[in-house]
Amino acid sequence: MSDHFRRADGARVLADLNTLRAFGAYKTGVHRPTFSAAHRQSLTWLAERLPDAQLSPDIDGIGNVLGVSAKPGRKLLAGSHLESQNHAGWLDGPLGVIYALEAARVLNPDPSIDGAVEVASWCDEEGHFGSMLGSRSYVGDVSEAEIDAARDRSGPRTMREALAEMGLAGRTRLHAERGRHIGYLEAHIEQGDTLETGELKVGVVTSIVGIWQYRITFSGEQNHAGATRMAVRKDAGLALAQFCVAIDARFPAACGPRTVWTTGRITLDPGAPSIIPGQAEMLFQVRDDNPAVVDRLEQLLRSMAAEATAAGPCQVEVERIRTGAPAMMDGAFQDAIEAASAALAGGKSLRMPSGAGHDAQVLATIMPAGMLFVPSIGGISHHWTENTADADIVTGADVFVDTCRRLLTGAP
Amino acid sequence: MSDHFRRADGARVLADLNTLRAFGAYKTGVHRPTFSAAHRQSLTWLAERLPDAQLSPDIDGIGNVLGVSAKPGRKLLAGSHLESQNHAGWLDGPLGVIYALEAARVLNPDPSIDGAVEVASWCDEEGHFGSMLGSRSYVGDVSEAEIDAARDRSGPRTMREALAEMGLAGRTRLHAERGRHIGYLEAHIEQGDTLETGELKVGVVTSIVGIWQYRITFSGEQNHAGATRMAVRKDAGLALAQFCVAIDARFPAACGPRTVWTTGRITLDPGAPSIIPGQAEMLFQVRDDNPAVVDRLEQLLRSMAAEATAAGPCQVEVERIRTGAPAMMDGAFQDAIEAASAALAGGKSLRMPSGAGHDAQVLATIMPAGMLFVPSIGGISHHWTENTADADIVTGADVFVDTCRRLLTGAP
């Protein structure tokens, strides 16, 4: 072993990822929603692995798994999440947890490293019950009342019922001990095709974009689809379609270079084939790392709604239901990832923002944070076909372990 | 009593309609889906009323209620349906049944009338389990296999389970006795505002338009709503919105004077706020009394889909899932309604097509059929606010009874 590098055990990393893939296997991906049986299996499995890295495991009252080190010296927190979106990919979440576990297994037993990697699996990053509940709980940003009110978005259970079924009811929630960690490091697949297109191996994340979410509602008049003449209709569904097309036409001139926007859900009410919809609703999302751009787009959205209402025949209302400030990644963390990439990935790295949200944006509110991306084949994400080449997974693991080493030892 | 006219008992008609309104009352309307407890109450209530009109009641194996007369002479079949759309209006269906009951109560005991009105309540005209199953069963157009396959569109029950819960499992289904009836007469609220706008009291239905139903699917690429740049997206939801707007722009130049078209339901898959929809589907309906017009519009729809697919980035497919030929109403029935309106409604009638479907279109396949409309306030239909002025309900009842008298006696 060289003085400098501590290599990851690539075969072990791949084996661990494939073990997790079997919990809730769905086609080539996984269906492992928060607090499902498969999710519980994955958390238990991780807790049982942590002693291999000289970490004491704990599962807390919101489903976070944490491995705590008794080793003296610096502590670096690292991890990601183990639950998945419904019927989604095998690496989104597990990659970052296994990289963290691998770094802890390599570095924690090494007496020449004056410090340790502590491993975290944050619960419900994918938002089945809320918004990044596990990491937000850890930084002190989730009240008991919020847990009381939380419900499964795709099932009948309350969060309290789900916690009880997981055997977690009444457990203490773990909170960050301020000053304990030099920072937080997370790895993830890119969820885009920038690295693949550029034949690169590592993304050095500079910032995580903010997410602004809107509910846009259209009010017309419900009526019979046969007996109501076209001229007198107030079709809320048609008004919604026209609004989507207007956004597509007008946003490009007002957006920033990396802004993205998405209509993810449309509901017509009552949604029957022979009834003209009287109400319609769309969930609309804007992401950018520049709040000023989003302000401008929100103003445009509201003025478009006012124009559409004035033109008739339906009323359009825009309601902002979520505001997410962008999170900047720490400069020293970016430098460490870039140096590790230069040493172990042939320098094939690129500084880039993250368009997706991650637990790192929550940890960044209380400590320095960094993120590392590996390539994603075809840029596919949040779908069961999501994948990364084995060789890229192993290269990423090497870079991750070495980044941890650099951060713990203060190496340049 | 004059030689000519037999007036309806307006107070009795209104009282009966309000009794039915209490079965499944919802706001000022009703929620009385097919085979619900409220629906069963309404069928039982009707069966108990039929002897008042010298009719023998029967509830058959598909939930049709029929009142059969032993009186010699001509038989006229009359009726409508008692179930409602979900959370819908109080008159859609019951008006026609109570008018038929009233005509039977007035005319059947009258020895000067050489004939009788027989009353029918057709099951599931509103399509909770199928498409006009009750009247189609009566004309011999529903197989046992179709009943085996039918399911509640808004609940978990199969039709067989629902029939068993209603106590109807194993009962014989009644079929039309060819030649027994001189025809079928049905009354209904207009479900449009033509009569109200023209200050008219009676619509003389000339034809019932056909309904053509299409499933239009859009295939793109499911991806992450944050990490996927706008330029590379294949957003199936946006493609759907663009298609709706294109229909709105291009159909008016190709349609007929009374064509209507409706997108009643839109589904994005997977329908999550942070996922670009990879699939989208719309249920699209065209109604017209001229099949040639619909042929032309279907060709336009298919060429628009081909154009959109060629332009990309999503594929658009059009599938016809229902074809409904228009039904012509019998000329002598139209004349009888018009003559009764001249005598009892000050001649305030109008010949007009029905844009909505009714059981009369099914009965028209085996016997002469006619329909009579009364005004609907604001043209509202398939909504709990649906209503008609009491005075208009009573005038309609008078015209209905007199139309039956004219048809039974062969009066001009």
Side-chain angles (χ1 to χ4, degrees):
Chain A
M1 194 177 278
S2 101
D3 268 1
H4 291 295
F5 307 131
R6 304 291 185 284
R7 304 296 287 252
D9 181 338
R12 180 167 64 181
V13 166
L14 291 170
D16 284 352
L17 286 169
N18 278 291
T19 298
L20 285 171
R21 189 183 209 163
F23 301 144
Y26 173 77
K27 301 189 181 179
T28 62
V30 296
H31 178 62
R32 198 161 62 221
T34 302
F35 301 145
S36 61
H39 184 219
R40 175 160 45 185
Q41 283 180 295
S42 70
L43 300 182
T44 304
W45 178 88
L46 175 64
E48 289 170 352
R49 294 292 83 68
L50 292 173
D52 301 344
Q54 300 185 351
L55 295 170
S56 303
D58 203 349
I59 304 186
D60 84 345
I62 203 164
N64 288 334
V65 177
L66 283 133
V68 179
S69 169
K71 191 178 177 186
R74 294 177 160 195
K75 304 287 183 303
L76 175 67
L77 190 61
S80 190
H81 60 92
L82 289 179
E83 86 284 341
S84 75
Q85 289 267 352
N86 291 330
H87 307 104
W90 68 302
L91 295 171
D92 184 344
L95 184 94
V97 173
I98 297 302
Y99 278 11
L101 175 64
E102 182 62 13
R105 285 189 293 217
V106 170
L107 301 174
N108 294 1
D110 186 338
S112 75
I113 307 285
D114 179 28
V117 174
E118 296 194 324
V119 174
S121 168
W122 310 111
C123 197
D124 203 35
E125 190 267 352
E126 295 291 6
H128 292 275
F129 286 83
S131 172
M132 301 194 181
L133 284 168
S135 54
R136 284 178 44 232
S137 170
Y138 185 73
V139 305
D141 191 28
V142 174
S143 67
E144 291 297 309
E146 182 172 351
I147 298 177
D148 289 341
R151 305 186 67 87
D152 192 344
R153 292 190 210 282
S154 40
R157 293 187 300 177
T158 66
M159 182 151 173
R160 290 291 184 201
E161 289 164 351
L163 284 167
E165 286 175 25
M166 294 283 284
L168 300 176
R171 281 212 198 191
T172 305
R173 288 192 278 138
L174 298 173
H175 296 297
E177 180 190 331
R178 301 299 164 111
R180 177 178 178 87
H181 299 109
I182 59 169
Y184 172 74
L185 185 66
E186 180 168 358
H188 208 278
I189 57 163
E190 184 200 341
Q191 302 180 280
D193 62 358
T194 304
L195 295 178
E196 184 185 55
T197 305
E199 298 186 359
L200 299 165
K201 297 301 171 188
V202 175
V204 182
V205 177
T206 52
S207 64
I208 300 173
V209 302
I211 301 178
W212 285 258
Q213 184 87 42
Y214 301 88
R215 180 184 296 117
I216 309 179
T217 51
F218 304 78
S219 304
E221 193 170 274
Q222 180 179 325
N223 227 320
H224 192 284
T228 314
R229 289 174 289 125
M230 299 308 293
V232 300
R233 293 182 175 210
K234 299 179 180 179
D235 183 332
L238 177 60
L240 181 150
Q242 290 166 331
F243 203 77
C244 286
V245 170
I247 288 171
D248 185 58
R250 295 177 64 174
F251 263 44
C255 72
R258 284 182 301 271
T259 321
V260 291
W261 57 91
T262 307
T263 300
R265 188 181 301 166
I266 291 174
T267 314
L268 305 189
D269 181 49
S274 289
I275 307 183
I276 302 162
Q279 291 279 325
E281 178 183 299
M282 56 189 265
L283 287 184
F284 182 70
Q285 190 181 84
V286 179
R287 301 190 188 211
D288 205 288
D289 57 6
N290 184 350
V293 169
V294 180
D295 280 350
R296 194 166 68 217
L297 292 173
E298 182 176 318
Q299 279 179 22
L300 174 58
L301 205 61
R302 292 187 188 281
S303 68
M304 285 168 62
E307 286 167 27
T309 300
C314 295
Q315 290 191 297
V316 187
E317 283 184 32
V318 174
E319 178 194 1
R320 194 203 306 134
I321 56 178
R322 174 178 166 186
T323 301
M328 304 313 292
M329 296 293 99
D330 184 75
F333 274 60
Q334 294 179 49
D335 293 345
I337 298 166
E338 202 162 58
S341 300
L344 293 163
K348 292 181 174 176
S349 67
L350 178 72
R351 295 199 179 214
M352 59 193 298
S354 170
H358 297 285
D359 290 307
Q361 75 198 50
V362 176
L363 276 302
T365 62
I366 64 163
M367 62 178 82
M371 279 199 83
L372 172 169
F373 282 165
V374 299
S376 174
I377 295 173
I380 291 169
S381 166
H382 283 187
H383 190 272
W384 56 268
T385 54
E386 168 202 289
N387 203 10
T388 296
D390 284 359
D392 289 344
I393 292 175
V394 172
T395 299
D398 277 336
V399 171
F400 192 90
V401 172
D402 193 51
T403 301
C404 290
R405 181 187 66 80
R406 287 169 191 271
L407 290 167
L408 285 173
T409 61
Chain B
M1 191 177 282
S2 104
D3 266 357
H4 293 295
F5 307 128
R6 302 293 182 283
R7 303 298 286 250
D9 181 339
R12 179 166 64 177
V13 166
L14 291 169
D16 285 351
L17 286 169
N18 278 290
T19 298
L20 285 171
R21 189 184 210 162
F23 300 144
Y26 174 77
K27 301 188 180 178
T28 61
V30 296
H31 178 62
R32 197 162 62 224
T34 303
F35 301 144
S36 61
H39 184 219
R40 175 161 44 186
Q41 283 180 295
S42 69
L43 299 184
T44 304
W45 177 87
L46 175 64
E48 289 168 353
R49 293 293 83 64
L50 291 173
D52 301 345
Q54 299 183 351
L55 295 170
S56 305
D58 202 350
I59 304 186
D60 84 344
I62 203 164
N64 288 335
V65 176
L66 283 133
V68 179
S69 168
K71 190 176 178 188
R74 294 178 163 197
K75 304 288 182 305
L76 175 68
L77 189 60
S80 189
H81 60 93
L82 289 178
E83 86 284 342
S84 75
Q85 289 267 352
N86 292 328
H87 307 104
W90 70 302
L91 294 172
D92 184 342
L95 183 92
V97 173
I98 297 303
Y99 277 11
L101 174 65
E102 182 63 13
R105 285 187 297 218
V106 170
L107 302 175
N108 295 359
D110 186 338
S112 75
I113 306 286
D114 178 27
V117 174
E118 297 194 321
V119 175
S121 167
W122 310 112
C123 198
D124 202 36
E125 191 267 353
E126 295 291 6
H128 291 275
F129 287 82
S131 171
M132 301 195 181
L133 283 168
S135 53
R136 283 179 45 234
S137 170
Y138 185 72
V139 305
D141 190 29
V142 173
S143 67
E144 291 297 309
E146 181 171 352
I147 298 176
D148 289 342
R151 305 185 66 87
D152 192 344
R153 292 189 211 283
S154 42
R157 293 188 300 176
T158 64
M159 182 151 174
R160 290 289 183 202
E161 288 164 353
L163 284 167
E165 285 174 27
M166 294 283 285
L168 299 176
R171 280 213 200 193
T172 304
R173 289 192 276 136
L174 298 173
H175 296 296
E177 179 190 332
R178 300 298 163 111
R180 177 177 180 85
H181 299 109
I182 59 167
Y184 173 74
L185 184 66
E186 180 168 357
H188 207 279
I189 57 163
E190 183 198 343
Q191 303 179 281
D193 63 358
T194 303
L195 294 178
E196 183 183 58
T197 306
E199 297 185 0
L200 299 165
K201 296 302 172 191
V202 175
V204 182
V205 178
T206 53
S207 65
I208 299 174
V209 301
I211 301 178
W212 285 258
Q213 184 87 43
Y214 302 88
R215 181 184 293 117
I216 309 179
T217 51
F218 303 78
S219 304
E221 191 170 276
Q222 181 178 326
N223 227 319
H224 191 285
T228 314
R229 289 173 290 125
M230 298 309 292
V232 301
R233 293 182 175 209
K234 299 178 180 177
D235 183 331
L238 178 59
L240 182 150
Q242 290 165 333
F243 203 77
C244 287
V245 170
I247 288 171
D248 185 58
R250 295 177 62 176
F251 263 44
C255 72
R258 285 182 301 270
T259 321
V260 290
W261 57 91
T262 307
T263 299
R265 188 181 299 166
I266 292 175
T267 314
L268 305 189
D269 179 49
S274 289
I275 306 185
I276 302 163
Q279 291 280 326
E281 178 183 301
M282 55 190 264
L283 287 184
F284 181 69
Q285 188 179 86
V286 179
R287 301 190 188 212
D288 205 286
D289 56 7
N290 184 350
V293 168
V294 180
D295 280 349
R296 193 165 70 217
L297 292 173
E298 182 176 316
Q299 279 179 21
L300 174 59
L301 205 61
R302 293 187 188 280
S303 69
M304 286 169 62
E307 285 168 28
T309 300
C314 295
Q315 291 190 296
V316 186
E317 282 182 32
V318 174
E319 178 193 2
R320 194 203 308 133
I321 55 179
R322 175 177 166 185
T323 301
M328 305 313 292
M329 296 294 100
D330 183 77
F333 276 60
Q334 294 179 47
D335 292 346
I337 299 166
E338 202 163 58
S341 300
L344 293 164
K348 293 183 175 177
S349 67
L350 179 72
R351 296 197 180 216
M352 59 192 300
S354 169
H358 298 286
D359 289 307
Q361 74 198 50
V362 176
L363 276 302
T365 62
I366 64 164
M367 63 179 81
M371 279 199 81
L372 172 168
F373 282 165
V374 299
S376 174
I377 295 172
I380 290 169
S381 166
H382 284 187
H383 190 273
W384 56 267
T385 54
E386 168 203 290
N387 203 9
T388 295
D390 283 358
D392 288 342
I393 292 175
V394 172
T395 300
D398 278 335
V399 171
F400 192 90
V401 172
D402 193 52
T403 301
C404 291
R405 181 188 68 79
R406 288 170 189 270
L407 290 168
L408 285 173
T409 60

